[in-house]
């Protein structure tokens, strides 16, 4: 069978790679063509476009890059036409993927959506397009099944969260070897996860690094995104007690004592590694003002949304400043608040449904084709 997969971000590349591995296990004759990244490419198949050329963050950035986005959509349709897949699998990335889904539906190509657009956060009216254009939806958050089936009468499959697979299946590292290899000191590590896109890294990293001098007993390590060159991070590495490790975020988290994390999938990854964290977010003024008016959620981090309470502190926009970072980081380095956060992390993991998301999804997808 021929599969066309579209993932437009780093997290989609991770989950797409595990899904591809499971599809190959289910269908030994699978031919896969995809938009994604290095992790998906390592599984085989044919990479059409890398996500580093697709990711634009925020309302303003999307408007400024609209011509590029529209050209990518046009090219994608042409590439699918040439490939003639049996099905298309969309992984998150809704602004782009929903446009392709609408076109694919008209072409009568079966559409599978793995990792739902977060329409429970904003743009809930997208449910009409999803009902019309998506044949099969696979959701990864427990409350999404109730949202789709209970509120909107749209059947979905809850498959569990693929991050649990990704984290549990990784090779464990030796902490001392990791420290020596990366020329780190013996001080406890505070990991800095500023995101994967240039725009967000530029906004977040300076603020995170502003508190380094206030924690002399710790070392700060920046988690470099695989999509960015070392030269991009170089200007940030001129402070003492600051280190840089690229493309090894999971290894870094496995040896970290605490973390400052830009809002996104990384907040959940950090929690699943049982690392106490402070969640940070700062967008452009225009993007933030628009988002504030249309997003009505109580929280922005997946940890708090899944738990439906404040488990991790969120420092958003103007609250993301040195004074608040110092105060919140001190709370989770030791003591009662740190222990309470770790207890909540254990409850969180149980809510996510255990291992096997990629395997379950691949089985459902391949079975649908055989039917």
């Amino acid at each position: 069978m021929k599969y066309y997969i579209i993932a437009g971000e780093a997290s989609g590349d991770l989950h797409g790679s595990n899904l591809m591995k499971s599809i190959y296990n289910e269908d030994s004759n699978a031919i896969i063509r995809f938009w994604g990244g290095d992790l998906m490419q390592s599984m085989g198949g044919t990479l059409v476009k890398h996500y580093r050329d697709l990711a634009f963050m925020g309302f303003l950035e999307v408007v400024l890059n609209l011509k590029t986005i529209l050209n990518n959509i046009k090219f994608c349709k042409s590439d699918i036409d040439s490939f003639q897949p049996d099905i298309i699998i969309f992984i998150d990335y809704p602004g782009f993927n929903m446009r392709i889904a609408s076109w694919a539906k008209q072409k009568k190509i079966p559409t599978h959506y793995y990792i739902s657009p977060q329409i429970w956060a904003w743009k809930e009216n997208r449910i009409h397009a999803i009902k019309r254009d998506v044949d099969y939806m696979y959701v990864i958050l427990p409350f999404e099944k109730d949202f789709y089936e209970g509120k909107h009468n749209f059947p979905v499959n809850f498959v569990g969260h693929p991050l649990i697979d990704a984290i549990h299946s990784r090779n464990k590292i030796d902490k001392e070897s990791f420290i020596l290899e990366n020329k780190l000191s013996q001080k406890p590590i505070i990991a800095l996860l500023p995101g994967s896109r240039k725009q967000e890294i530029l906004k977040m990293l300076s603020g995170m690094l502003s508190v380094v001098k206030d924690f002399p007993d710790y070392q700060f390590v920046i988690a470099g995104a695989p999509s960015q060159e070392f030269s991009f991070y170089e200007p940030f590495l001129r402070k003492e007690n600051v280190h840089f490790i690229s493309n090894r975020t999971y290894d870094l988290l496995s040896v970290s004592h605490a973390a400052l994390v830009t809002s996104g999938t990384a907040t959940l990854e950090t929690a699943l590694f049982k690392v106490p964290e402070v969640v940070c977010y700062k967008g452009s003024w225009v993007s933030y003002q628009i988002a504030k008016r249309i997003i009505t959620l109580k929280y922005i981090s997946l940890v708090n949304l899944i738990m439906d309470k404040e488990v991790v502190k969120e420092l958003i926009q103007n609250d993301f400043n040195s004074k608040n970072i110092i105060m919140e980081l001190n709370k989770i380095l030791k003591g009662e608040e740190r222990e309470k956060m770790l207890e909540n992390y254990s409850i969180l993991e149980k809510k996510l449904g255990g291992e096997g998301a990629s395997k379950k999804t691949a089985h459902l997808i391949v079975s649908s084709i055989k039917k």
Side-chain angles (χ1 to χ4, degrees):
M1 296 292 179
K2 294 166 75 175
Y3 305 77
Y4 200 97
I5 305 176
I6 306 173
E9 297 168 302
S11 59
D13 180 38
L14 170 64
H15 303 321
S17 67
N18 288 321
L19 180 64
M20 284 173 68
K21 182 179 179 181
S22 295
I23 287 173
Y24 283 128
N25 286 337
E26 289 276 339
D27 179 2
S28 58
N29 296 315
I31 301 169
I32 302 178
R33 190 169 176 85
F34 63 92
W35 296 43
D38 299 341
L39 294 174
M40 292 175 75
Q41 194 165 27
S42 71
M43 292 296 149
T46 304
L47 174 65
V48 180
K49 269 191 182 283
H50 200 287
Y51 68 79
R52 73 167 70 94
D53 302 320
L54 307 173
F56 302 105
M57 185 187 83
F59 301 96
L60 183 60
E61 290 80 5
V62 167
V63 171
L64 293 175
N65 292 281
L66 192 57
K67 184 177 179 182
T68 301
I69 294 167
L70 292 174
N71 283 338
N72 283 336
I73 289 169
K74 183 179 179 182
F75 171 73
C76 184
K77 291 175 181 177
S78 172
D79 194 58
I80 293 169
D81 257 340
S82 299
F83 183 58
Q84 292 289 300
D86 293 290
I87 65 162
I88 302 176
I89 302 168
F90 304 102
I91 302 178
D92 201 1
Y93 197 48
F96 187 94
N97 275 336
M98 286 306 300
R99 286 172 178 259
I100 302 299
S102 176
W103 171 85
K105 190 68 175 180
Q106 294 171 25
K107 291 273 184 176
K108 294 183 168 49
I109 306 170
T111 53
H112 295 248
Y113 217 120
Y114 179 43
I115 307 178
S116 161
Q118 295 178 350
I119 65 170
W120 37 266
W122 69 300
K123 289 195 175 180
E124 190 170 343
N125 63 347
R126 272 183 172 161
I127 186 63
H128 304 298
I130 287 172
K131 283 184 165 184
R132 183 189 67 223
D133 300 329
V134 176
D135 296 314
Y136 302 89
M137 176 70 78
Y138 310 95
V139 301
I140 62 172
L141 299 171
F143 61 79
E144 289 179 319
K145 188 170 178 67
D146 291 336
F147 173 83
Y148 276 109
E149 295 188 346
K151 187 173 182 181
H152 292 292
N153 195 31
F154 180 65
V156 298
N157 294 286
F158 172 58
V159 293
H161 206 293
L163 278 181
I164 296 176
D165 290 345
I167 290 168
H168 286 190
S169 64
R170 56 180 288 278
N171 295 323
K172 302 294 186 288
I173 63 159
D174 177 72
K175 184 174 181 179
E176 288 307 312
S177 299
F178 183 81
I179 287 170
L180 284 171
E181 180 188 345
N182 292 286
K183 299 180 175 60
L184 305 178
S185 72
Q186 292 297 324
K187 293 178 181 178
I189 294 168
I190 297 175
L192 304 181
L193 278 64
S196 60
R197 305 172 179 111
K198 274 193 169 72
Q199 299 104 314
E200 66 184 344
I201 295 168
L202 290 169
K203 283 186 173 70
M204 303 308 302
L205 198 47
S206 295
M208 291 177 173
L209 290 171
S210 70
V211 305
V212 169
K213 64 185 183 302
D214 298 282
F215 297 90
D217 296 331
Y218 296 83
Q219 59 184 325
F220 288 74
V221 183
I222 300 167
S227 55
Q228 306 301 338
E229 301 293 331
F230 173 74
S231 58
F232 173 70
Y233 292 95
E234 228 170 345
F236 297 103
L237 303 178
R238 293 169 187 156
K239 288 178 180 281
E240 284 186 30
N241 213 21
V242 175
H243 305 269
F244 174 80
I245 298 175
S246 183
N247 199 19
R248 293 189 67 181
T249 301
Y250 281 10
D251 290 343
L252 175 60
L253 286 173
S254 72
V255 299
S256 293
H257 184 75
L260 299 176
V261 187
T262 296
S263 178
T265 305
T267 63
L268 188 55
E269 290 172 313
T270 304
L272 290 172
F273 272 98
K274 308 299 189 288
V275 179
E277 65 184 303
V278 179
V279 174
C280 312
Y281 179 78
K282 189 168 189 174
S284 70
W285 185 85
V286 172
S287 293
Y288 176 69
Q289 292 301 320
I290 295 171
K292 190 169 69 171
R293 285 160 174 77
I294 63 175
I295 298 176
T296 57
L297 296 174
K298 287 188 287 186
Y299 308 109
I300 64 166
S301 72
L302 283 170
V303 176
N304 291 343
L305 285 167
I306 294 164
M307 294 292 284
D308 196 26
K309 65 178 182 178
E310 187 183 75
V311 171
V312 296
K313 184 66 178 179
E314 300 177 350
L315 299 179
I316 306 169
Q317 211 65 8
N318 293 333
D319 289 337
F320 176 61
N321 58 56
S322 299
K323 180 184 174 184
N324 286 339
I325 296 170
I326 292 166
M327 180 173 66
E328 297 302 330
L329 198 48
N330 271 316
K331 289 179 184 177
I332 62 169
L333 291 177
K334 56 187 173 183
E336 187 180 330
E337 293 214 25
R338 177 182 177 85
E339 294 308 312
K340 186 178 177 184
M341 190 177 290
L342 291 171
E343 287 172 14
N344 277 310
Y345 282 173
S346 296
I347 298 168
L348 169 75
E349 184 163 355
K350 288 175 185 171
K351 283 194 168 204
L352 289 173
E355 296 182 54
S358 305
K359 187 176 179 181
K360 289 175 200 167
T361 306
H363 178 71
L364 289 166
I365 289 172
V366 175
S367 298
S368 77
I369 300 172
K370 289 176 180 175
K371 285 178 185 175

